[in-house]
Amino acid sequence: DQQVKQNSPSLSVQEGRISILNCDYTNSMFDYFLWYKKYPAEGPTFLISISSIKDKNEDGRFTVFLNKSAKHLSLHIVPSQPGDSAVYFCAGADSGGGADGLTFGKGTHLIIQP
Amino acid sequence: DAGITQSPRHKVTETGTPVTLRCHQTENHRYMYWYRQDPGHGLRLIHYSYGVKDTDKGEVSDGYSVSRSKTEDFLLTLESATSSQTSVYFCAISRGAPGQGYEGSGAFFGQGTRLTVV
């Protein structure tokens, strides 16, 4: 039972354009969401997060949008740069659920074309 | 970068042998996690710890045990390695439980250990 779903295994975007990565979740208890970026042979690195009291959070070129009614979040990268080519993981957590970590999606491989 | 060191970084072992992976942190974070990453599965939680000697099971804990005798070290043991445990293992740390207290309270990951069981 996948609680966090990233339905696009890969996404190709032209440099300078907007990249939109999508994520759906099924666990109603999740109220905190994160995006991680992962390069090959490295550990995931934290990118941006959002709590359910917000519907948008921005950090430079990265913006995360949360639609609680649809149980959907998206990560926008504007403008896309070659260094953004990586695997992006969406994760959800129940902030009142204690220490049992994050539940991750399977990831989306973003490829930025020159 | 958060001070997390995983050792070894690569290991090849034979089926049936015990294997221990080590995660060492210098951040004094309370929470520590072990995840595995497999193609088509993303990152799945194996075990986690919320303090010294306080541990609990995650989603895929069968065949694994953990110990945390000091704040800075979290050990993952495969009692009798099987080929299905061939994977990349990541340790992660966090100051608090995810989402509690402040925005950006995510987990920080180590570089990973690539384990091959032959």
Side-chain angles (χ1 to χ4, degrees):
Chain A
D1 176 31
Q2 256 190 287
Q3 298 185 65
V4 177
K5 301 179 184 179
Q6 293 178 258
N7 291 320
S8 299
S10 66
L11 175 67
S12 184
V13 174
Q14 201 165 11
E15 182 179 356
R17 306 293 288 265
I18 182 171
S19 294
I20 300 176
L21 294 92
N22 293 303
C23 179
D24 297 295
Y25 62 98
T26 58
N27 190 333
S28 304
M29 298 301 293
F30 286 165
D31 60 355
Y32 186 66
F33 303 90
L34 306 90
W35 285 93
Y36 282 82
K37 175 180 178 179
K38 186 183 180 306
Y39 293 120
E42 294 185 11
T45 55
F46 170 73
L47 202 54
I48 193 169
S49 63
I50 188 167
S51 65
S52 60
I53 61 172
K54 296 182 177 180
D55 53 19
K56 176 183 172 182
N57 191 27
E58 274 183 272
D59 185 1
R61 296 186 298 114
F62 303 91
T63 303
V64 56
F65 295 92
L66 175 62
N67 182 334
K68 291 184 288 294
S69 61
K71 292 193 175 66
H72 177 83
L73 60 155
S74 60
L75 175 68
H76 292 213
I77 306 173
V78 184
S80 300
Q81 298 175 353
D84 296 330
S85 293
V87 177
Y88 290 78
F89 291 99
C90 170
D94 170 7
S95 66
D100 56 346
L102 304 168
T103 301
F104 286 86
K106 294 182 179 182
T108 296
H109 186 194
L110 177 63
I111 302 161
I112 305 301
Q113 307 276 13
Chain B
D1 287 348
I4 313 172
T5 305
Q6 290 187 232
S7 59
R9 292 293 312 279
H10 302 271
K11 186 169 181 68
V12 180
T13 192
E14 293 187 349
T15 299
T17 60
V19 177
T20 295
L21 308 183
R22 181 185 184 228
C23 178
H24 178 78
Q25 60 144 330
T26 57
E27 304 294 323
N28 201 35
H29 282 358
R30 179 181 174 189
Y31 298 93
M32 299 185 76
Y33 309 88
W34 278 107
Y35 287 89
R36 61 178 288 176
Q37 184 194 10
D38 304 288
H41 289 280
L43 291 151
R44 292 180 293 174
L45 182 66
I46 305 171
H47 280 280
Y48 63 96
S49 170
Y50 46 97
V52 173
K53 296 185 180 175
D54 292 323
T55 65
D56 208 342
K57 296 178 180 180
E59 177 189 0
V60 290
S61 60
D62 286 350
Y64 301 95
S65 62
V66 290
S67 66
R68 191 168 178 202
S69 58
K70 300 186 285 186
T71 298
E72 56 265 36
D73 289 324
F74 193 32
L75 304 180
L76 177 71
T77 298
L78 290 67
E79 302 290 348
S80 177
T82 68
S83 58
S84 65
Q85 294 175 311
T86 292
S87 186
V88 181
Y89 291 86
F90 289 101
C91 174
I93 64 174
S94 62
R95 191 191 317 171
Q100 288 183 356
Y102 57 101
E103 195 75 62
S105 56
F108 298 95
F109 283 79
Q111 295 281 70
T113 295
R114 182 172 293 275
L115 176 68
T116 303
V117 183
V118 298

